[in-house]
Amino acid sequence: MQLMLRDGSTGPFLSQVISSALASEQLNTAQLQQIKGKAVLMSLKFADKFYNKYKMHLLEQAAHDVIGIVSLGLLELSDNDKQRALTLLLAPEGLVKPFQKGWSMLNTVSRSSSKSLYGDVDEQLLQQVSSPPDAEDWSGWQHYQQALTEHRRNQSMQLLQQQFYARSHFDEFEHFSLEEVLAEVVFYRALTGGDKVRQDLKKRLLNITLQKHWFNDAFFALQTEATLAELPAANADAIRADLGQHFVPALARTLNFAKDYQALAKKDASPEKLDAFEGKQGLTNPLLGWPQYLEL
């Protein structure tokens, strides 16, 4: 099993660390053989569990998987510091700790609903992380970061629903983006004084006094931050990164629509007329935070 690169500046992080250590004479032959020996044993175990250790091409694939998983964990544990990474490799547990860390990272960001050869680890993601030791490039870390961002986005959507909605059941087609969920939460809480979101805003709007100081971007920026402050920092940061620059202005624009909708509703307009007014506004300038539920 080869672990070195022709060029130690690219390829899987494990190979980079070994190549750099050999070049600086921080790694001797005996230590290298010890690392290789553990890598071979881990590859055999991996192939035995997920492939077939008696077929050479599958054993080779297992070795590539181990290199990618160890590289991922090693990068995280060492904070991309090759000297720290070398110390981890030379520790008594050697490759085991980085492998366990890398596998845990993949497990965390994998979609649990998808069936995978690797149990709770997404098959496509592992394929993206897996790498031959002499690969010219390794994009495993980038693919993991993309998966982590998507995981935090989905997790944040669930947190918003759990924490700020009065109901417990959600239609997966009701909201298509994290921004839409946050917008409904911010808009509803802003108009009701912080109540949990229910499917009643259009009716409640008749009895809500719209304050003058609400009609500006600063008000909704504060409301947005107040909502995010109630979430874990990592999830709040994930939501902020997902928001477009027009999020707050769109909420302020929606409030202006709500004012006109309220005025029309107070004139005892028919449900059909209100729907037509809402539909026309939604087509010409999509409303952010405005409830889309059907009132039966």
Side-chain angles (χ1 to χ4, degrees):
M1 181 182 186
Q2 297 295 318
L3 284 177
M4 291 187 299
L5 284 169
R6 292 184 296 271
D7 177 1
S9 64
T10 59
F13 188 62
L14 174 60
S15 299
Q16 291 183 40
V17 173
I18 291 174
S19 295
S20 176
L22 288 171
S24 60
E25 298 183 347
Q26 292 180 284
L27 190 65
N28 59 43
T29 303
Q31 291 170 323
L32 178 59
Q33 289 305 317
Q34 186 178 19
I35 294 173
K36 284 186 176 182
K38 287 190 177 182
V40 170
L41 288 175
M42 291 177 69
S43 299
L44 283 168
K45 289 183 179 179
F46 196 88
D48 190 38
K49 184 171 184 177
F50 298 115
Y51 302 127
N52 185 332
K53 66 180 179 180
Y54 300 108
K55 293 186 177 182
M56 185 55 65
H57 72 286
L58 293 177
L59 181 56
E60 185 176 335
Q61 180 59 55
H64 296 170
D65 294 342
V66 168
I67 289 170
I69 296 166
V70 169
S71 293
L72 188 66
L74 202 58
L75 252 171
E76 178 73 10
L77 291 172
S78 68
D79 195 23
N80 200 15
D81 185 319
K82 291 179 182 177
Q83 192 63 47
R84 287 171 60 185
L86 179 61
T87 301
L88 287 167
L89 292 180
L90 296 177
E93 60 268 30
L95 297 174
V96 176
K97 187 175 181 180
F99 178 89
Q100 291 174 337
K101 180 63 177 180
W103 189 256
S104 174
M105 291 162 67
L106 293 175
N107 194 344
T108 298
V109 302
S110 293
R111 297 193 176 192
S112 57
S113 59
S114 61
K115 293 183 179 179
S116 170
L117 173 67
Y118 310 99
D120 293 330
V121 171
D122 182 76
E123 187 169 349
Q124 182 179 1
L125 180 57
L126 181 56
Q127 290 172 354
Q128 292 169 334
V129 168
S130 177
S131 176
D134 58 349
E136 293 185 0
D137 295 295
W138 179 65
S139 56
W141 181 257
Q142 289 78 7
H143 285 295
Y144 164 74
Q145 288 296 322
Q146 292 170 6
L148 178 61
T149 298
E150 183 62 25
H151 166 71
R152 284 179 174 165
R153 185 180 291 122
N154 293 331
Q155 185 186 56
S156 297
M157 187 180 293
Q158 293 175 3
L159 281 173
L160 285 171
Q161 292 173 338
Q162 292 169 2
Q163 187 156 338
F164 298 113
Y165 284 75
R167 54 199 166 114
S168 57
H169 176 72
F170 298 92
D171 187 337
E172 62 179 312
F173 297 108
E174 186 174 353
H175 295 104
F176 294 98
S177 72
L178 177 58
E179 188 174 75
E180 288 177 346
V181 177
L182 178 65
E184 183 175 25
V185 170
V186 171
F187 195 77
Y188 192 98
R189 282 161 52 91
L191 268 61
T192 63
D195 289 355
K196 285 186 176 291
V197 179
R198 300 177 184 274
Q199 293 185 318
D200 63 355
L201 184 61
K202 294 177 184 179
K203 292 180 180 179
R204 289 190 66 174
L205 188 61
L206 290 170
N207 300 312
I208 294 175
T209 301
L210 303 178
Q211 304 296 325
K212 290 183 179 180
H213 70 275
W214 293 357
F215 290 83
N216 59 78
D217 289 1
F219 172 73
F220 281 105
L222 289 172
Q223 291 292 320
T224 300
E225 283 304 314
T227 298
L228 294 179
E230 297 186 34
L231 298 176
N235 295 104
D237 289 342
I239 294 174
R240 290 189 186 93
D242 197 65
L243 298 182
Q245 61 179 334
H246 302 297
F247 178 79
V248 168
L251 287 175
R253 185 169 60 247
T254 298
L255 183 61
N256 280 291
F257 163 78
K259 179 181 179 181
D260 295 336
Y261 184 95
Q262 183 189 64
L264 189 62
K266 285 184 175 181
K267 293 179 182 179
D268 295 324
S270 67
E272 293 77 14
K273 189 172 184 178
L274 288 171
D275 287 345
F277 178 68
E278 180 182 333
K280 181 180 179 180
Q281 178 64 36
L283 288 173
T284 57
N285 208 340
L287 300 168
L288 191 62
W290 183 252
Q292 299 299 315
Y293 46 78
L294 295 175
E295 294 183 275
L296 301 177

